[in-house]
Amino acid sequence: MTGKTQTSNITNKNDPKSINSRVFIGNLNTAIVKKVDIEAIFSKYGKIVGCSVHKGYAFVQYMSERHARAAVAGENARVIAGQPL
């Protein structure tokens, strides 16, 4: 390990208080892009408390809604592994 704290795979989908701090990442080439890649890209917007990657999409859970909104504004339509998010 590199000494970094691993984020949880849980993104609080059933917690109404945290729903606004959760970011959906669609059109994701998960054959190439992995959880560590998602965390590296999205961690610049704030502390990530959860990240779950599924076939073709992912969710990132931030500590606050402000960080989630910044991530959406900064990464919307970004091309990763040949596909726009």
Side-chain angles (χ1 to χ4, degrees), residues 25-35 37-38 53-58 78-85:
I25 305 157
N27 198 34
L28 191 61
N29 186 344
T30 51
I32 297 171
V33 182
K34 304 300 178 199
K35 181 179 176 184
D37 302 317
I38 296 297
V53 179
H54 311 273
K55 187 174 182 178
Y57 66 97
R78 175 181 174 163
V79 176
I80 298 176
Q83 294 180 205
L85 302 181

Side-chain angles (χ1 to χ4, degrees), residues 5-13 15 17-23 35 38-39 42-43 45-52 59-65 67-68:
T5 306
Q6 267 194 315
T7 60
S8 170
N9 288 329
I10 299 169
T11 55
N12 294 324
K13 67 181 178 181
D15 181 3
K17 293 178 184 171
S18 66
I19 195 75
N20 291 332
S21 60
R22 186 172 181 236
V23 176
K35 181 179 176 184
I38 296 297
E39 290 173 347
F42 285 86
S43 65
Y45 297 101
K47 179 161 175 53
I48 296 174
V49 294
C51 179
S52 60
F59 287 100
V60 173
Q61 180 76 49
Y62 285 98
M63 286 288 289
S64 77
E65 180 179 346
H67 296 145

